[in-house]
Amino acid sequence: MASEVFDYDAELRLHNEHLRAAARVGSGDQVLDVGCGTGLTTREAARAAVDGGALGVDVSASMVARARLLTDAEGPRNATYQQADAQVHGFAPARFDVCISRFGTMFFADPVAAFTNIGRALRPGARMVLLVWQARDRNEWAAAIRESLLPKPPTPTPKAFSLADPSATTAILTTAGFTDVDFTDVHEPVHYGPDADTALDNVLRLLKFDDLLTPLTPAAADRARARLHTTLAAHDSGNGVHFDSRAWLVTARTRSGEAGS
């Protein structure tokens, strides 16, 4: 399974350090991890919450299955997982002290409904800490990789950047019942592998990029892969293949005296 799942943890290692520091998970906290992927952020939160616990949720069955396997192998025992859509899942009310998400909240069909639902699961005054991408034009990886595969790519969907505008995102979170919304700039590179060959395999494992090759003839697909390899090689610093990126670290709280509603 490991070879079939893109290694987001390696790609986002530096971003993850910012998320962990901002979350400030306490020893007795109960933590909700939205879009947990293969569970690294859930396991880290659970290790900090030694007298509490962490629940990771993700819509991907394969990601959740991998998270459970990794946790069975390395612990901790207070990390658990559930395949669920956080937008509509019936969480126990006022259960969690902290909600974290590493690039897992940009794809909601109805973000106000989603964050309202998440807010109901949080206790009064609970913290929420999110990493979300800034605008597409501030993220080198978003254009460079796609354009190397297809010189004239189709207009991409904006979902990955749906929370990029601080004003719009503040309005969403405020409407959903959160307060004290704040944004911190995170300027770190994303990592695709130790060398261009490995990075090529990793990037093509990302379904969205692989799908771009599907309509092409075999010869055209080979040319696209060659262009991508050239782009990746140009970003090989000798310490791995990196692309510039900008993200927001978004923090907020549920209102004191009431869970998010």
mmCIF file of all heavy atoms in Angstrom, residues 53-87:
data_model
loop_
_atom_site.group_PDB
_atom_site.id
_atom_site.type_symbol
_atom_site.label_atom_id
_atom_site.label_comp_id
_atom_site.label_asym_id
_atom_site.label_seq_id
_atom_site.Cartn_x
_atom_site.Cartn_y
_atom_site.Cartn_z
ATOM 1 N N GLY A 53 -6.560 12.290 23.899
ATOM 2 C CA GLY A 53 -6.562 11.449 22.709
ATOM 3 C C GLY A 53 -6.773 12.271 21.458
ATOM 4 O O GLY A 53 -7.018 13.479 21.532
ATOM 5 N N ALA A 54 -6.656 11.625 20.310
ATOM 6 C CA ALA A 54 -6.838 12.303 19.025
ATOM 7 C C ALA A 54 -7.620 11.402 18.084
ATOM 8 O O ALA A 54 -7.331 10.198 17.980
ATOM 9 C CB ALA A 54 -5.488 12.668 18.413
ATOM 10 N N LEU A 55 -8.597 11.987 17.406
ATOM 11 C CA LEU A 55 -9.385 11.299 16.390
ATOM 12 C C LEU A 55 -9.077 11.923 15.039
ATOM 13 O O LEU A 55 -9.278 13.129 14.854
ATOM 14 C CB LEU A 55 -10.880 11.425 16.690
ATOM 15 C CG LEU A 55 -11.822 10.932 15.582
ATOM 16 C CD1 LEU A 55 -11.681 9.428 15.368
ATOM 17 C CD2 LEU A 55 -13.278 11.306 15.887
ATOM 18 N N GLY A 56 -8.605 11.114 14.102
ATOM 19 C CA GLY A 56 -8.376 11.566 12.738
ATOM 20 C C GLY A 56 -9.507 11.125 11.840
ATOM 21 O O GLY A 56 -9.909 9.952 11.873
ATOM 22 N N VAL A 57 -10.036 12.052 11.038
ATOM 23 C CA VAL A 57 -11.089 11.709 10.079
ATOM 24 C C VAL A 57 -10.648 12.098 8.681
ATOM 25 O O VAL A 57 -9.961 13.110 8.477
ATOM 26 C CB VAL A 57 -12.430 12.394 10.430
ATOM 27 C CG1 VAL A 57 -12.938 11.935 11.781
ATOM 28 C CG2 VAL A 57 -12.307 13.907 10.391
ATOM 29 N N ASP A 58 -11.020 11.277 7.720
ATOM 30 C CA ASP A 58 -10.683 11.537 6.333
ATOM 31 C C ASP A 58 -11.718 10.842 5.463
ATOM 32 O O ASP A 58 -12.227 9.773 5.831
ATOM 33 C CB ASP A 58 -9.282 11.015 5.996
ATOM 34 C CG ASP A 58 -8.679 11.694 4.772
ATOM 35 O OD1 ASP A 58 -9.126 11.401 3.646
ATOM 36 O OD2 ASP A 58 -7.774 12.528 4.940
ATOM 37 N N VAL A 59 -12.015 11.436 4.295
ATOM 38 C CA VAL A 59 -12.985 10.814 3.388
ATOM 39 C C VAL A 59 -12.381 9.639 2.630
ATOM 40 O O VAL A 59 -13.107 8.818 2.073
ATOM 41 C CB VAL A 59 -13.543 11.848 2.379
ATOM 42 C CG1 VAL A 59 -14.342 12.919 3.099
ATOM 43 C CG2 VAL A 59 -12.430 12.465 1.539
ATOM 44 N N SER A 60 -11.059 9.524 2.597
ATOM 45 C CA SER A 60 -10.389 8.480 1.821
ATOM 46 C C SER A 60 -10.251 7.202 2.635
ATOM 47 O O SER A 60 -9.561 7.167 3.660
ATOM 48 C CB SER A 60 -9.002 8.967 1.383
ATOM 49 O OG SER A 60 -8.238 7.893 0.854
ATOM 50 N N ALA A 61 -10.862 6.129 2.155
ATOM 51 C CA ALA A 61 -10.761 4.841 2.846
ATOM 52 C C ALA A 61 -9.330 4.329 2.845
ATOM 53 O O ALA A 61 -8.862 3.757 3.843
ATOM 54 C CB ALA A 61 -11.685 3.821 2.184
ATOM 55 N N SER A 62 -8.600 4.528 1.739
ATOM 56 C CA SER A 62 -7.227 4.027 1.669
ATOM 57 C C SER A 62 -6.316 4.779 2.630
ATOM 58 O O SER A 62 -5.423 4.188 3.259
ATOM 59 C CB SER A 62 -6.690 4.123 0.238
ATOM 60 O OG SER A 62 -6.635 5.473 -0.201
ATOM 61 N N MET A 63 -6.523 6.090 2.783
ATOM 62 C CA MET A 63 -5.725 6.869 3.721
ATOM 63 C C MET A 63 -5.991 6.429 5.156
ATOM 64 O O MET A 63 -5.063 6.245 5.954
ATOM 65 C CB MET A 63 -6.028 8.361 3.568
ATOM 66 C CG MET A 63 -5.537 8.977 2.280
ATOM 67 S SD MET A 63 -3.742 9.185 2.261
ATOM 68 C CE MET A 63 -3.549 10.155 0.755
ATOM 69 N N VAL A 64 -7.251 6.244 5.495
ATOM 70 C CA VAL A 64 -7.605 5.833 6.849
ATOM 71 C C VAL A 64 -7.055 4.440 7.147
ATOM 72 O O VAL A 64 -6.536 4.182 8.248
ATOM 73 C CB VAL A 64 -9.128 5.891 7.049
ATOM 74 C CG1 VAL A 64 -9.540 5.227 8.359
ATOM 75 C CG2 VAL A 64 -9.613 7.341 7.024
ATOM 76 N N ALA A 65 -7.140 3.548 6.164
ATOM 77 C CA ALA A 65 -6.595 2.201 6.362
ATOM 78 C C ALA A 65 -5.094 2.251 6.611
ATOM 79 O O ALA A 65 -4.564 1.545 7.488
ATOM 80 C CB ALA A 65 -6.906 1.334 5.148
ATOM 81 N N ARG A 66 -4.402 3.094 5.859
ATOM 82 C CA ARG A 66 -2.959 3.235 6.049
ATOM 83 C C ARG A 66 -2.649 3.845 7.422
ATOM 84 O O ARG A 66 -1.708 3.420 8.109
ATOM 85 C CB ARG A 66 -2.393 4.121 4.938
ATOM 86 C CG ARG A 66 -0.887 4.349 5.009
ATOM 87 C CD ARG A 66 -0.134 3.084 4.743
ATOM 88 N NE ARG A 66 1.307 3.292 4.763
ATOM 89 C CZ ARG A 66 2.193 2.313 4.861
ATOM 90 N NH1 ARG A 66 1.794 1.064 4.940
ATOM 91 N NH2 ARG A 66 3.483 2.585 4.872
ATOM 92 N N ALA A 67 -3.441 4.834 7.824
ATOM 93 C CA ALA A 67 -3.241 5.456 9.136
ATOM 94 C C ALA A 67 -3.374 4.421 10.249
ATOM 95 O O ALA A 67 -2.586 4.403 11.209
ATOM 96 C CB ALA A 67 -4.251 6.589 9.339
ATOM 97 N N ARG A 68 -4.370 3.545 10.137
ATOM 98 C CA ARG A 68 -4.557 2.526 11.166
ATOM 99 C C ARG A 68 -3.395 1.539 11.189
ATOM 100 O O ARG A 68 -2.937 1.130 12.280
ATOM 101 C CB ARG A 68 -5.873 1.799 10.920
ATOM 102 C CG ARG A 68 -7.099 2.645 11.272
ATOM 103 C CD ARG A 68 -8.385 1.985 10.854
ATOM 104 N NE ARG A 68 -9.544 2.732 11.329
ATOM 105 C CZ ARG A 68 -10.729 2.728 10.722
ATOM 106 N NH1 ARG A 68 -10.903 2.016 9.614
ATOM 107 N NH2 ARG A 68 -11.726 3.432 11.217
ATOM 108 N N LEU A 69 -2.904 1.142 10.025
ATOM 109 C CA LEU A 69 -1.764 0.225 9.975
ATOM 110 C C LEU A 69 -0.530 0.841 10.624
ATOM 111 O O LEU A 69 0.172 0.184 11.408
ATOM 112 C CB LEU A 69 -1.460 -0.157 8.524
ATOM 113 C CG LEU A 69 -2.387 -1.169 7.860
ATOM 114 C CD1 LEU A 69 -2.009 -1.328 6.385
ATOM 115 C CD2 LEU A 69 -2.325 -2.516 8.574
ATOM 116 N N LEU A 70 -0.258 2.101 10.303
ATOM 117 C CA LEU A 70 0.912 2.769 10.865
ATOM 118 C C LEU A 70 0.781 2.926 12.377
ATOM 119 O O LEU A 70 1.755 2.757 13.124
ATOM 120 C CB LEU A 70 1.105 4.135 10.204
ATOM 121 C CG LEU A 70 1.561 4.107 8.741
ATOM 122 C CD1 LEU A 70 1.472 5.496 8.125
ATOM 123 C CD2 LEU A 70 2.984 3.564 8.618
ATOM 124 N N THR A 71 -0.420 3.235 12.831
ATOM 125 C CA THR A 71 -0.624 3.420 14.261
ATOM 126 C C THR A 71 -0.557 2.089 15.009
ATOM 127 O O THR A 71 -0.028 2.019 16.124
ATOM 128 C CB THR A 71 -1.966 4.125 14.515
ATOM 129 O OG1 THR A 71 -1.966 5.371 13.806
ATOM 130 C CG2 THR A 71 -2.184 4.402 15.996
ATOM 131 N N ASP A 72 -1.060 1.027 14.398
ATOM 132 C CA ASP A 72 -0.918 -0.297 15.006
ATOM 133 C C ASP A 72 0.557 -0.654 15.170
ATOM 134 O O ASP A 72 0.949 -1.291 16.159
ATOM 135 C CB ASP A 72 -1.605 -1.359 14.139
ATOM 136 C CG ASP A 72 -3.123 -1.295 14.239
ATOM 137 O OD1 ASP A 72 -3.637 -0.644 15.167
ATOM 138 O OD2 ASP A 72 -3.791 -1.894 13.373
ATOM 139 N N ALA A 73 1.379 -0.227 14.204
ATOM 140 C CA ALA A 73 2.795 -0.581 14.226
ATOM 141 C C ALA A 73 3.610 0.271 15.182
ATOM 142 O O ALA A 73 4.527 -0.225 15.846
ATOM 143 C CB ALA A 73 3.371 -0.474 12.813
ATOM 144 N N GLU A 74 3.283 1.569 15.272
ATOM 145 C CA GLU A 74 4.153 2.477 16.029
ATOM 146 C C GLU A 74 3.458 3.218 17.156
ATOM 147 O O GLU A 74 4.103 3.949 17.906
ATOM 148 C CB GLU A 74 4.792 3.490 15.071
ATOM 149 C CG GLU A 74 3.810 4.422 14.385
ATOM 150 C CD GLU A 74 4.461 5.325 13.338
ATOM 151 O OE1 GLU A 74 5.048 4.794 12.384
ATOM 152 O OE2 GLU A 74 4.382 6.547 13.506
ATOM 153 N N GLY A 75 2.129 3.028 17.293
ATOM 154 C CA GLY A 75 1.393 3.766 18.318
ATOM 155 C C GLY A 75 1.188 5.208 17.881
ATOM 156 O O GLY A 75 1.490 5.586 16.748
ATOM 157 N N PRO A 76 0.658 6.024 18.792
ATOM 158 C CA PRO A 76 0.224 5.722 20.154
ATOM 159 C C PRO A 76 -1.170 5.119 20.193
ATOM 160 O O PRO A 76 -1.921 5.211 19.215
ATOM 161 C CB PRO A 76 0.234 7.096 20.828
ATOM 162 C CG PRO A 76 -0.114 8.033 19.721
ATOM 163 C CD PRO A 76 0.527 7.457 18.477
ATOM 164 N N ARG A 77 -1.520 4.522 21.316
ATOM 165 C CA ARG A 77 -2.799 3.823 21.430
ATOM 166 C C ARG A 77 -3.981 4.773 21.579
ATOM 167 O O ARG A 77 -5.136 4.341 21.438
ATOM 168 C CB ARG A 77 -2.753 2.856 22.613
ATOM 169 C CG ARG A 77 -1.706 1.761 22.463
ATOM 170 C CD ARG A 77 -1.895 0.990 21.179
ATOM 171 N NE ARG A 77 -0.824 0.033 20.925
ATOM 172 C CZ ARG A 77 -0.544 -0.478 19.735
ATOM 173 N NH1 ARG A 77 -1.253 -0.101 18.682
ATOM 174 N NH2 ARG A 77 0.441 -1.341 19.597
ATOM 175 N N ASN A 78 -3.717 6.037 21.871
ATOM 176 C CA ASN A 78 -4.819 6.995 22.025
ATOM 177 C C ASN A 78 -5.088 7.772 20.734
ATOM 178 O O ASN A 78 -5.744 8.815 20.761
ATOM 179 C CB ASN A 78 -4.551 7.962 23.181
ATOM 180 C CG ASN A 78 -3.289 8.781 22.988
ATOM 181 O OD1 ASN A 78 -2.405 8.392 22.223
ATOM 182 N ND2 ASN A 78 -3.198 9.919 23.666
ATOM 183 N N ALA A 79 -4.569 7.262 19.603
ATOM 184 C CA ALA A 79 -4.900 7.810 18.284
ATOM 185 C C ALA A 79 -5.867 6.863 17.592
ATOM 186 O O ALA A 79 -5.578 5.670 17.448
ATOM 187 C CB ALA A 79 -3.641 7.980 17.444
ATOM 188 N N THR A 80 -7.010 7.379 17.174
ATOM 189 C CA THR A 80 -8.009 6.577 16.485
ATOM 190 C C THR A 80 -8.428 7.284 15.199
ATOM 191 O O THR A 80 -8.166 8.482 15.016
ATOM 192 C CB THR A 80 -9.243 6.336 17.373
ATOM 193 O OG1 THR A 80 -9.800 7.612 17.760
ATOM 194 C CG2 THR A 80 -8.878 5.539 18.604
ATOM 195 N N TYR A 81 -9.107 6.539 14.321
ATOM 196 C CA TYR A 81 -9.426 7.061 12.987
ATOM 197 C C TYR A 81 -10.835 6.652 12.589
ATOM 198 O O TYR A 81 -11.349 5.616 13.012
ATOM 199 C CB TYR A 81 -8.427 6.536 11.949
ATOM 200 C CG TYR A 81 -7.001 6.852 12.316
ATOM 201 C CD1 TYR A 81 -6.235 5.943 13.041
ATOM 202 C CD2 TYR A 81 -6.431 8.075 11.987
ATOM 203 C CE1 TYR A 81 -4.941 6.247 13.420
ATOM 204 C CE2 TYR A 81 -5.143 8.389 12.361
ATOM 205 C CZ TYR A 81 -4.400 7.465 13.080
ATOM 206 O OH TYR A 81 -3.127 7.776 13.458
ATOM 207 N N GLN A 82 -11.414 7.494 11.739
ATOM 208 C CA GLN A 82 -12.736 7.190 11.207
ATOM 209 C C GLN A 82 -12.833 7.736 9.794
ATOM 210 O O GLN A 82 -12.448 8.891 9.540
ATOM 211 C CB GLN A 82 -13.822 7.811 12.087
ATOM 212 C CG GLN A 82 -15.233 7.437 11.676
ATOM 213 C CD GLN A 82 -16.238 7.746 12.771
ATOM 214 O OE1 GLN A 82 -15.909 8.371 13.784
ATOM 215 N NE2 GLN A 82 -17.464 7.311 12.592
ATOM 216 N N GLN A 83 -13.311 6.902 8.883
ATOM 217 C CA GLN A 83 -13.596 7.406 7.540
ATOM 218 C C GLN A 83 -14.884 8.204 7.621
ATOM 219 O O GLN A 83 -15.945 7.672 7.962
ATOM 220 C CB GLN A 83 -13.750 6.259 6.535
ATOM 221 C CG GLN A 83 -13.982 6.763 5.113
ATOM 222 C CD GLN A 83 -14.309 5.647 4.137
ATOM 223 O OE1 GLN A 83 -14.332 4.482 4.520
ATOM 224 N NE2 GLN A 83 -14.563 5.999 2.888
ATOM 225 N N ALA A 84 -14.797 9.491 7.353
ATOM 226 C CA ALA A 84 -15.955 10.359 7.520
ATOM 227 C C ALA A 84 -15.744 11.655 6.765
ATOM 228 O O ALA A 84 -14.612 12.091 6.546
ATOM 229 C CB ALA A 84 -16.196 10.664 9.007
ATOM 230 N N ASP A 85 -16.854 12.273 6.373
ATOM 231 C CA ASP A 85 -16.854 13.604 5.777
ATOM 232 C C ASP A 85 -17.173 14.598 6.884
ATOM 233 O O ASP A 85 -18.298 14.624 7.400
ATOM 234 C CB ASP A 85 -17.905 13.669 4.667
ATOM 235 C CG ASP A 85 -17.957 15.018 3.967
ATOM 236 O OD1 ASP A 85 -17.310 15.978 4.447
ATOM 237 O OD2 ASP A 85 -18.652 15.114 2.934
ATOM 238 N N ALA A 86 -16.189 15.387 7.267
ATOM 239 C CA ALA A 86 -16.362 16.301 8.399
ATOM 240 C C ALA A 86 -17.456 17.332 8.154
ATOM 241 O O ALA A 86 -17.971 17.931 9.110
ATOM 242 C CB ALA A 86 -15.043 17.007 8.711
ATOM 243 N N GLN A 87 -17.848 17.534 6.907
ATOM 244 C CA GLN A 87 -18.898 18.506 6.617
ATOM 245 C C GLN A 87 -20.242 18.063 7.168
ATOM 246 O O GLN A 87 -21.048 18.904 7.595
ATOM 247 C CB GLN A 87 -19.009 18.731 5.101
ATOM 248 C CG GLN A 87 -20.120 19.684 4.701
ATOM 249 C CD GLN A 87 -20.057 20.093 3.247
ATOM 250 O OE1 GLN A 87 -19.057 20.609 2.787
ATOM 251 N NE2 GLN A 87 -21.139 19.849 2.519
#
